[in-house]
Amino acid sequence: LSLVASASISCSVSSLPLSLTVKFVNCGQGGLVQFECSNPSDFRIEADGVVYALRPFTVSTLRAVPLVIVARDETNQQQWQTQVRLTPPIGQSQQKTQNKISVGQLKRMKRDWVIPPINVPENSRGEFPQDLVRIRSDNDKNRSLRYSVTGPGADQPPTGIFIIHPISGELSVMKPLDREHISNFHLRAHAVDLNGNQVESPIDIVINVIDMNDNRPEFIHQIWNGTIPEGSKPGTFVMTVTSVDKDDPKTANGMLRYKIVSQNPESPTSNMFTINNKTGGIITVAAGLDREKVPQYTLIIQATDMEGNPMYGLSNTATAVIKVTDINDNPPEFTAETFFGEVPENRVNVIVANLTVTDKDQPNTPAWNTVYKITGGDPTGRFSVPTDPTTNEGLVTVVKPIDYEISRTYVLTVVAVNEVSLARGIHSPRQSTATVSIRVIDVNESPNFEPNPKLIKLEEGMQPESALTTFTAQDPDRFMQQTIRYTRLSDPANWLRIDPNTGHITTIAVLDRESPYVKDNMYSATFLASDSGIPPASGTGTLQIFLLDINDNAPHVYPQETEMCEKPEPNGFNITALDGDLSPNAGPFAFELANRPSDIQRNWTITRLSDFAQLSLKIGFLESGIYEIPIIITDSGNLPMSNTSYLRVKVCQCDHNGDCTDQQHIVAAGLGTGAIIAILLCIIILLILVLLFVVWMKRRDKERQAKQLLIDPEDDVRDNILKYDEEGGGEEDQDYDLSQLQQPDTIEPDAIKPVGIRRMDERPLHPEPQYPIRSAAPHPGDIGDFINEGLKAADNDPTAPPYDSLLVFDYEGSGSTAGSLSSLNSSSSGGDQDYDYLNDWGPRFRKLADMYGGSDD
């Protein structure tokens, strides 16, 4: 398939109507070809190759409208193109003409059943239904046909938009169309006879909804936020704003243009920013951005469609907020050239002075945060200047002790800088450096012992009142006239004394290296030095005495006890010696047996073996018992010391394994015959003492009972408990009337309460149960039967409370048959008794002795 590139067309040029068409004939090659037009806003080419003019043309605009037709094979994507040249007609009247662009062999196509695409503007206000096109088949000349359409918008959702007259074939639209909802409809037309037989192949009907400018641009965000560093150069990109238009972006209805409507504030100029009218990108166009002067700009951005045409286009606005970010273009400056402070000597971690600065940069940012550096006046590093994170002040702090006697004042040079470097071209001014003058206050300092601790070496055994050394302290307060006194603070063994004025130390006891207060030959004592300042200050010093060993301890045998069998095998055992001294005042030791008693050397022998000795039995049998063997041990000191030490040997009977039997273990534990006898004597004496104590207690009880017989029981006022042989009461108490317990109301009938008057603790009113009537004065032995009968009656009483609960009885009556306790009178039958013995009972009974004893006075 080929197209002739030099094809031409001629048509009328004076206000041609839209019905002007140019017929484009297919080559008949059989391929599916799709046509495209280069100027879709002025012309439209349909699938059958028909070109339509979408608006009238004049002679002046005809040559300015080029037209290129592209044919594309959808099978192999091959394409061809040709240019259509529109020229005014020559000698032709203004009428509707049809011209063909012929390519290759021409083929006549049936015109009646070909429906070109239909263009329908959206949002039409015309009367509905509105006719669009009439469909007609050539077969309707011979017979009657019925027409119908199918597809979305007809019989498929959204239904009811398009209808066709079944007889005339007129296609109509029933309501306004919305391109933003559906941009085109694809329908299919059908023609059948009255019997429903298809007479034509279905044809496609394309209805394009022509866009109208009915949608304003809409910004994606109503408020756009952007930032730009202060001091930025012109042309610096800030941000991009974006707006969308629902209209066709291929037409002017959807082509947007941006512009800045206003800028607030208009400082330093009213045009600090500009915007790309097509992309919406905002850039700076002027210098002079200064956050300290203008921290934020607010721009009103307008987007207009129709390529920004203010007359026909629709517009909308949005707000762009541009924050000017801070850079370090302002150095910190001190508020004063010199700062002052004072600090007591020897104090650390003390704030001496607060350094204040001003910085115009944004607070709490690296460009505002200040760092203080000491550049002079502190060679020993006794001060530091940390930054207060809240106030940004410099805190001059003492980090090492200061001595007033060395330096009374300090003058520091401090430089203030930011955490980040200054911007390029910005330099630190003179105000970024300040002087800090610090005065040191003299305080009373503690005396210092030198050296501390002080070590001296002495031989042990030094006698009391011996001079050891002088341990003095120095007062660092050279400008204060003060005296120092010394006292002993810690002396565990109480060996030393110090002179309070001179610090001279002497002994008050013998120094003993073997004392438990000496650790690793070292004895430590602490002394206190106090000055006369106000308030007084004191310091401590430690004196360490290294005690050298002398031979002052005699050796003794080890172990001190051992055991052996009567017939030992072997007949010897090893022993050694212990010495509190150190070498060479200790071992090696010399061992020998004492001359007395004589049987020692007769029965035993001792032999030295290296660091120990072997004690052997000369005889083959030794009777069981405890033997103490005296052994003379001598150490190796320069002046040797000897000691007679006794070795306790327990001889016992042994079993076949060589172990002492249980009985012999008791003997070996020290319980000899004499010990056992002593223990028995002690037990006998203890038993005698217990027996004597019991006899004495018995005698005392008899004397007490004898005294009781001399006292009239009625006149005896002591709190004694009389013990009777019977369990009942006295004779008078046995005369009781049990009938009162049976029917208490019969005693005083006039004491019955009126009806309706009851106490809170009374039980409810119910019929009284009938209790069995007993004799008025039963025998005392019947009291148990009486209680049992009363219990049985209470159990059978339906009005009685539940079991195991407190019974509430009725009013018990007034008065009592028992006499008053006040009727008990003291007996006067014992007037001739002698009550003087009451004086012997103590002060509590002297009053009674005065009342009953003595004379008639």
Side-chain angles (χ1 to χ4, degrees), residues 167-213:
I167 298 177
S168 64
E170 192 72 34
L171 180 65
S172 304
V173 60
M174 301 300 295
K175 61 179 67 175
L177 303 180
D178 187 0
R179 190 203 68 84
E180 288 72 37
H181 184 219
I182 300 177
S183 60
N184 54 65
F185 296 88
H186 293 270
L187 305 178
R188 175 163 289 191
H190 306 270
V192 297
D193 58 13
L194 296 179
N195 295 326
N197 298 321
Q198 182 176 332
V199 297
E200 293 281 358
S201 297
I203 62 172
D204 293 330
I205 302 176
V206 178
I207 300 176
N208 294 322
V209 182
I210 303 302
D211 183 42
M212 303 295 290
N213 190 17

Side-chain angles (χ1 to χ4, degrees), residues 202-390:
I203 62 172
D204 293 330
I205 302 176
V206 178
I207 300 176
N208 294 322
V209 182
I210 303 302
D211 183 42
M212 303 295 290
N213 190 17
D214 58 342
N215 290 279
R216 291 181 178 274
E218 297 290 340
F219 283 91
I220 298 177
H221 305 291
Q222 192 61 32
I223 298 178
W224 297 79
N225 295 304
T227 60
I228 185 172
E230 62 177 332
S232 298
K233 298 180 179 180
T236 303
F237 174 79
V238 181
M239 62 179 176
T240 299
V241 297
T242 304
S243 179
V244 295
D245 196 320
K246 296 180 181 179
D247 292 328
D248 190 356
K250 297 181 180 180
T251 64
N253 297 334
M255 296 181 181
L256 305 181
R257 297 295 183 265
Y258 301 93
K259 72 174 182 179
I260 297 176
V261 177
S262 65
Q263 169 190 312
N264 184 34
E266 297 180 351
S267 175
T269 64
S270 59
N271 296 318
M272 293 294 296
F273 304 92
T274 186
I275 188 171
N276 189 308
N277 64 345
K278 292 184 179 180
T279 63
I282 300 176
I283 61 174
T284 59
V285 294
L289 291 174
D290 190 352
R291 189 203 65 85
E292 287 72 35
K293 296 180 179 179
V294 181
Q296 178 177 294
Y297 289 91
T298 301
L299 307 180
I300 303 300
I301 310 299
Q302 184 183 62
T304 307
D305 57 13
M306 297 299 291
E307 298 181 301
N309 190 325
M311 183 177 296
Y312 301 105
L314 301 176
S315 61
N316 209 339
T317 59
T319 303
V321 178
I322 302 175
K323 293 184 178 180
V324 182
T325 59
D326 186 36
I327 63 172
N328 194 13
D329 58 343
N330 293 280
E333 298 180 359
F334 284 101
T335 58
E337 294 184 358
T338 304
F339 296 87
F340 299 92
E342 59 182 19
V343 59
E345 64 175 333
N346 301 322
R347 296 282 299 275
V348 294
N349 298 325
V350 178
I351 298 176
V352 179
N354 291 25
L355 310 183
T356 56
V357 296
T358 58
D359 196 321
K360 298 179 181 179
D361 292 322
Q362 185 175 358
N364 301 316
T365 61
W368 179 80
N369 297 334
T370 305
V371 178
Y372 300 89
K373 298 179 180 179
I374 299 176
T375 59
D378 186 23
T380 57
R382 299 185 180 275
F383 299 90
S384 68
V385 188
T387 304
D388 189 325
T390 303

Side-chain angles (χ1 to χ4, degrees), residues 57-164:
F57 293 93
T58 60
V59 176
S60 60
T61 60
L62 185 61
R63 297 183 181 276
V65 183
L67 183 60
V68 177
I69 304 300
V70 178
R72 180 180 291 106
D73 190 344
E74 294 184 354
T75 303
N76 54 16
Q77 297 300 320
Q78 187 177 1
Q79 66 181 19
W80 301 266
Q81 72 178 20
T82 184
Q83 182 176 3
V84 178
R85 184 175 59 220
L86 301 178
T87 58
I90 300 176
Q92 188 176 7
S93 61
Q94 294 182 1
Q95 61 182 359
K96 186 189 315 181
T97 61
Q98 293 184 359
N99 294 284
K100 299 179 181 179
I101 302 176
S102 301
V103 181
Q105 182 180 0
L106 299 178
K107 181 178 180 179
R108 179 76 163 81
M109 298 189 67
K110 185 167 63 174
R111 179 71 183 86
D112 294 331
W113 195 241
V114 176
I115 306 301
I118 303 171
N119 297 323
V120 179
E122 65 173 335
N123 303 324
S124 176
R125 300 181 180 178
E127 296 181 358
F128 295 98
Q130 181 179 353
D131 297 338
L132 298 180
V133 68
R134 181 178 181 183
I135 301 174
R136 177 177 171 276
S137 175
D138 293 341
N139 295 324
D140 63 351
K141 298 177 181 179
N142 302 326
R143 48 184 170 175
S144 297
L145 302 180
R146 296 293 183 266
Y147 300 96
S148 63
V149 292
T150 59
D155 61 343
Q156 298 179 15
T159 60
I161 298 179
F162 301 98
I163 62 172
I164 189 171

Side-chain angles (χ1 to χ4, degrees), residues 325-491:
T325 59
D326 186 36
I327 63 172
N328 194 13
D329 58 343
N330 293 280
E333 298 180 359
F334 284 101
T335 58
E337 294 184 358
T338 304
F339 296 87
F340 299 92
E342 59 182 19
V343 59
E345 64 175 333
N346 301 322
R347 296 282 299 275
V348 294
N349 298 325
V350 178
I351 298 176
V352 179
N354 291 25
L355 310 183
T356 56
V357 296
T358 58
D359 196 321
K360 298 179 181 179
D361 292 322
Q362 185 175 358
N364 301 316
T365 61
W368 179 80
N369 297 334
T370 305
V371 178
Y372 300 89
K373 298 179 180 179
I374 299 176
T375 59
D378 186 23
T380 57
R382 299 185 180 275
F383 299 90
S384 68
V385 188
T387 304
D388 189 325
T390 303
T391 62
N392 207 30
E393 294 180 353
L395 308 178
V396 181
T397 308
V398 180
V399 295
K400 292 182 181 180
I402 301 174
D403 192 354
Y404 174 83
E405 286 70 27
I406 297 178
S407 179
R408 301 183 182 184
T409 59
Y410 288 88
V411 179
L412 309 180
T413 302
V414 181
V415 175
V417 297
N418 293 122
E419 291 182 353
V420 295
S421 302
L422 292 172
R424 181 177 299 179
I426 306 297
H427 302 284
S428 297
R430 183 179 59 85
Q431 291 80 3
S432 296
T433 302
T435 300
V436 182
S437 179
I438 301 173
R439 184 175 67 90
V440 182
I441 301 175
D442 189 18
V443 296
N444 187 21
E445 300 177 80
S446 302
N448 299 323
F449 284 90
E450 288 295 339
N452 191 13
K454 183 176 183 180
L455 177 64
I456 62 175
K457 293 183 179 182
L458 299 172
E459 284 188 351
E460 64 172 330
M462 183 171 290
Q463 297 301 314
E465 302 302 330
S466 299
L468 296 184
T469 185
T470 300
F471 196 22
T472 58
Q474 304 296 327
D475 193 348
D477 298 317
R478 295 177 298 174
F479 303 100
M480 298 182 183
Q481 300 298 327
Q482 299 180 143
T483 60
I484 299 177
R485 295 186 61 83
Y486 303 94
T487 56
R488 185 179 61 176
L489 186 62
S490 173
D491 184 11

Side-chain angles (χ1 to χ4, degrees), residues 9 18-24 37 43-46 48-53 67 69 84 101:
I9 182 172
L18 291 177
S19 60
L20 175 64
T21 61
V22 176
K23 185 69 176 295
F24 193 92
C37 178
F43 299 94
R44 185 181 74 252
I45 183 168
E46 301 299 341
D48 56 355
V50 179
V51 179
Y52 293 88
L67 183 60
I69 304 300
V84 178
I101 302 176

